[in-house]
Amino acid sequence: MNKLTPILLSSILLFGAAACSDTAKTSPDAPNSTTENTTSPPPAEAVQKTQSDATSEIRKNQANSDIRAREQRNNVTGGDAIRADGDLKSEVRSKLEVNITKGALTVDAKDGLVTVGGTVPNQTDLAKIAPLAKEIKGVKEVNVTAVVAPATPESPSSKQ
């Protein structure tokens, strides 16, 4: 059993590191990285589906509860100023997801610097990104690379 423990622990750490390397997304059709912005707007149908999920009261309450729980945990452990990159990504993504419902955004975090890429439907939503992200404890700076690209209705020929 003593020989199995280090192998088991290293497997768990390796899995955890691989899982944390993903960029947090606010919707399935968001770009894969914060440096990649799609110039083509997302289909209106996809935006509507994402919006209905994000605007549900249950989803908003869940996101806010998750953020509060992480902040409370960090306050108890004394880490309220220095936050894990994964926590920052997840909390900022949740905050943006429930407040900018028609966006397709990606979030990345490194040492308190949060980068948000992707698309939003209008200039008003683009202007909301940085202030919303800065509401999360541990966010020192926000770099917004997102662009405005309103949703377009899907053509009948593209639904196959």
Side-chain angles (χ1 to χ4, degrees):
M1 182 67 175
N2 287 339
K3 292 180 182 180
L4 184 61
T5 303
I7 294 171
L8 182 61
L9 286 175
S10 15
S11 299
I12 292 170
L13 289 173
L14 182 61
F15 176 74
C20 290
S21 65
D22 292 337
T23 302
K25 295 178 168 189
T26 59
S27 66
D29 56 344
N32 291 322
S33 77
T34 56
T35 57
E36 173 188 332
N37 287 324
T38 57
T39 53
S40 61
E45 185 178 293
V47 168
Q48 215 169 24
K49 182 178 178 187
T50 301
Q51 181 184 14
S52 64
D53 175 52
T55 55
S56 76
E57 229 17 72
I58 293 171
R59 177 67 185 109
K60 281 184 182 180
N61 292 340
Q62 179 187 24
N64 288 329
S65 176
D66 289 348
I67 290 169
R68 279 192 306 276
R70 285 190 199 108
E71 287 178 351
Q72 287 172 352
R73 181 193 68 216
N74 284 324
N75 288 341
V76 167
T77 60
D80 59 339
I82 301 171
R83 307 290 300 277
D85 292 341
D87 277 354
L88 286 179
K89 278 194 312 192
S90 178
E91 289 179 39
V92 170
R93 179 198 49 79
S94 294
K95 188 79 163 176
L96 295 175
E97 191 175 72
V98 296
N99 288 287
I100 302 174
T101 57
K102 295 182 182 179
L105 299 171
T106 58
V107 179
D108 200 9
K110 181 79 173 153
D111 300 326
L113 169 64
V114 173
T115 304
V116 181
T119 59
V120 291
N122 55 52
Q123 195 66 35
T124 305
D125 284 343
L126 187 64
K128 286 183 192 177
I129 293 173
L132 286 169
K134 287 180 182 176
E135 288 179 12
I136 303 299
K137 281 185 183 179
V139 173
K140 298 174 186 167
E141 189 178 337
V142 180
N143 181 14
V144 179
T145 60
V147 295
V148 175
T152 57
E154 280 190 35
S155 64
S157 62
S158 67
K159 292 183 181 179
Q160 294 182 10

